[in-house]
Amino acid sequence: MDSIKYILPEKDMPTSWYNIQADLPVPLPPYLHPVTKQVIGPGDLAPLFAMELIKQEVSQERFIDIPEEVQKIYRQFRPSPLYRARRLEQALDTPAHIYYKLEDVSPAGSHKPNSAIPQAYYNMKEGIKRLTTETGAGQWGSSLALACNYFDIELKVYMVKVSYNQKPYRRMMMETWGATCVPSPSPDTNSGRAALAADPNNMGSLGLAISEAVEDAMQRDDTHYTLGSVLNHVLMHQTIIGQECQKQMEMAGEYPDVVIACVGGGSNFGGIALPFVYDKLRKDTKTRVLAVEPSSCPSLTKGLYAYDYGDEAGMAPITKMFTLGSHFMPPPVHAGGLRYHGMSPIISHLHKLGIIEARAVNQLATFEAGITFARTEGIISAPETNHAIRAAIDEAIKCRETGEKKVILFNHSGHGYFDMTAYNTYLLGDLSDYEYPAEKVKEAQSFMPQV
Ligand SMILES: *Cc1c(COP(=O)(O)O)cnc(C)c1O
């Protein structure tokens, strides 16, 4: 029988996360303090993050145990299935074998609970009663609302205003799980008030929402801040995806020639790819690892590799990363989760070292791929996920032309049920492409810290 799904039994779910810092050929550049520009120590981060998460951020241990209570909640939806896209292969008439890991199966509909759950757990363990965070399209906010609900933590989410207005259902999910969600810029913080004073119609950005959430957390002893992507510990929590894939690919009797995921801050990409990068570094496998970003916000392919602020107001740590500048306002593409000016330090570092590849794709081409996927595999994907699907289809078409029987694996980061307005716009023929003007990156330099 030709299998479609590879289901890993609960008892075979990985019990530790993989930390790539143990295997990097060159260590990561350190974080710097946003004011003093000196290397940051754990004490500087303690007002913001749980100590266990700070330890994970800099840990050099290869594997870190997943706490029993986190595993228990993971098992509500994990292991997630690995699919062979046989109907898509047929439609493309490709000799390639295409596999996708379905992360839509979490209650929030994406991979993000993989990190939201441990982040809420460690904060609860350390006596924290309240968390703050930012959210773009609402995926992270809803995932953290789910997690905080399990551990009885109060949550305040600063949601980028343009999405708050466009995507009310994500806000309603957060409220259903018991969180509070306000549009950013909000009148509740100094950064929000300053932005509103300068422009009452400011529609917000992730960088600004981060400033608000950080400022809120700094002001209360019972409150910490959490970030849904970018940071090392977030990518590490997501590696359960790739570790499950390794076992499932073995069940299928194959090994991927190329591993693909979309990148916003880099967490779902890191999640599926880093365990395979381990194989590349330690077992000399030749797998290509491909990060796909939007042409409208192309930090890896057009950004500068520089120390930059993680947020607009310059309160978050300064990070060496590929960046378009902390004041960059990405155009209003529908892939809200890919509209961040920077990139995870780990992904930036691996790209700089030439261990991973990056590619930018334009919005129309991603929706075209999403429609093909919906009409073959049946699944309606998040606009972010459509970036990965686009690249997987392009790789499969190349195989049709060369006759190569490559094994392609991509991460299906989430479903698109709350993005039907975007699909409608595409179907009406009204969707636009946005190309980032490469010369713009020079302007961004003027806002970067002098270090
Ligand atoms: C948030 C999100 C992304 C982008 O975030 P990463 O941290 O880069 O993974 C991609 N896909 C979905 C469905 C998301 O919700």
Side-chain angles (χ1 to χ4, degrees):
M1 191 183 67
D2 290 342
S3 291
I4 305 282
K5 298 190 288 307
Y6 297 90
I7 308 279
L8 204 60
E10 274 181 43
K11 66 172 175 41
D12 293 335
M13 188 180 79
T15 55
S16 54
W17 295 299
Y18 168 57
N19 176 17
I20 189 138
Q21 291 191 69
D23 294 298
L24 289 174
V26 184
L28 287 173
Y31 292 115
L32 305 182
H33 192 282
V35 178
T36 65
K37 318 269 164 64
Q38 300 300 304
V39 171
I40 265 180
D44 295 312
L45 295 172
L48 282 183
F49 297 102
M51 196 40 77
E52 185 56 35
L53 295 170
I54 296 172
K55 280 191 204 148
Q56 291 180 2
E57 189 63 22
V58 295
S59 170
Q60 302 295 312
E61 294 281 319
R62 183 169 291 129
F63 289 101
I64 292 182
D65 287 342
I66 305 174
E68 199 52 56
E69 283 137 287
V70 172
Q71 287 190 41
K72 248 195 223 160
I73 297 179
Y74 272 179
R75 290 206 305 273
Q76 295 282 348
F77 54 93
R78 306 207 69 85
S80 68
L82 178 77
Y83 273 74
R84 170 89 183 266
R86 292 187 187 268
R87 296 177 55 86
L88 176 64
E89 288 169 17
Q90 238 171 17
L92 298 174
D93 190 24
T94 177
H97 292 184
I98 308 174
Y99 291 86
Y100 57 95
K101 179 74 161 160
L102 196 73
E103 287 296 305
D104 318 12
V105 295
S106 78
S110 76
H111 64 286
K112 290 205 171 72
N114 297 333
S115 184
I117 293 159
Q119 288 194 49
Y121 169 77
Y122 289 121
N123 276 292
M124 177 275 291
K125 286 300 263 188
E126 294 176 25
I128 285 296
K129 302 287 183 228
R130 182 173 174 270
L131 288 174
T132 65
T133 200
E134 71 291 330
T135 197
Q139 290 270 21
W140 170 246
S142 49
S143 301
L144 192 63
L146 168 80
C148 284
N149 164 68
Y150 283 129
F151 297 115
D152 215 8
I153 296 174
E154 186 186 330
L155 172 64
K156 180 160 180 186
V157 181
Y158 293 86
M159 183 169 187
V160 178
K161 190 183 275 174
V162 59
S163 304
Y164 183 93
N165 293 340
Q166 274 176 3
K167 303 192 173 184
Y169 293 109
R170 284 269 164 208
R171 166 180 62 78
M172 292 172 203
M173 285 174 87
M174 295 178 224
E175 290 167 351
T176 299
W177 281 312
T180 305
C181 175
V182 296
S184 164
S186 80
D188 305 357
T189 65
N190 288 327
S191 340
R193 283 188 290 271
L196 288 171
D199 174 12
N201 296 316
N202 186 318
M203 293 312 281
S205 69
L206 266 180
L208 180 53
I210 295 175
S211 300
E212 289 206 86
V214 167
E215 184 187 322
D216 180 328
M218 296 279 255
Q219 279 165 358
R220 283 176 59 163
D221 284 344
D222 66 346
T223 302
H224 272 163
Y225 164 74
T226 57
L227 191 60
S229 185
V230 180
L231 298 178
N232 305 336
H233 67 265
V234 182
L235 270 66
M236 186 188 75
H237 297 154
Q238 295 293 351
T239 59
I240 188 154
I241 301 174
Q243 294 184 72
E244 284 179 7
C245 279
Q246 288 179 320
K247 295 185 178 191
Q248 289 163 309
M249 292 298 302
E250 210 172 296
M251 288 165 79
E254 304 220 70
Y255 190 88
D257 296 302
V258 50
V259 177
I260 299 170
C262 64
V263 281
S267 77
N268 92 91
F269 173 80
I272 194 165
L274 295 179
F276 290 100
V277 172
Y278 171 84
D279 285 358
K280 270 170 85 77
L281 295 173
R282 295 287 164 189
K283 302 179 191 166
D284 207 26
T285 55
K286 302 293 176 219
T287 302
R288 288 171 49 219
V289 181
L290 175 59
V292 191
E293 60 186 8
S295 302
S296 56
C297 191
S299 48
L300 279 175
T301 52
K302 300 263 175 73
L304 297 170
Y305 186 58
Y307 267 111
D308 197 8
Y309 297 107
D311 67 321
E312 191 170 312
M315 284 187 297
I318 298 173
T319 310
K320 186 94 182 258
M321 60 182 174
F322 280 94
T323 175
L324 299 166
S326 58
H327 284 59
F328 176 57
M329 278 281 180
V333 290
H334 290 282
L338 308 184
R339 294 173 73 236
Y340 181 59
H341 69 272
M343 181 52 63
S344 137
I346 287 177
I347 304 307
S348 297
H349 190 67
L350 290 172
H351 185 48
K352 189 69 190 169
L353 294 175
I355 296 169
I356 65 165
E357 300 168 36
R359 183 183 297 171
V361 290
N362 225 316
Q363 179 161 256
L364 270 172
T366 64
F367 273 87
E368 190 184 84
I371 295 282
T372 302
F373 196 72
R375 292 181 186 176
T376 50
E377 296 297 308
I379 295 167
I380 299 177
S381 314
E384 293 84 357
T385 310
N386 285 343
H387 290 68
I389 298 175
R390 175 75 267 164
I393 290 179
D394 289 344
E395 291 292 323
I397 290 175
K398 248 190 266 164
C399 288
R400 176 174 74 208
E401 286 157 4
T402 61
E404 284 173 293
K405 251 186 154 161
K406 284 196 179 152
V407 177
I408 300 167
L409 167 66
F410 74 88
N411 195 39
H412 196 280
S413 53
H415 67 62
Y417 301 149
F418 299 115
D419 301 284
M420 295 320 296
T421 310
Y423 277 86
N424 191 43
T425 308
Y426 172 80
L427 293 168
L428 290 171
D430 291 339
L431 202 69
S432 324
D433 273 343
Y434 296 94
E435 195 74 42
Y436 177 83
E439 59 287 358
K440 219 181 141 114
V441 84
K442 291 200 192 78
E443 269 171 54
Q445 261 174 318
S446 60
F447 292 106
M448 286 181 195
Q450 303 293 316
V451 295

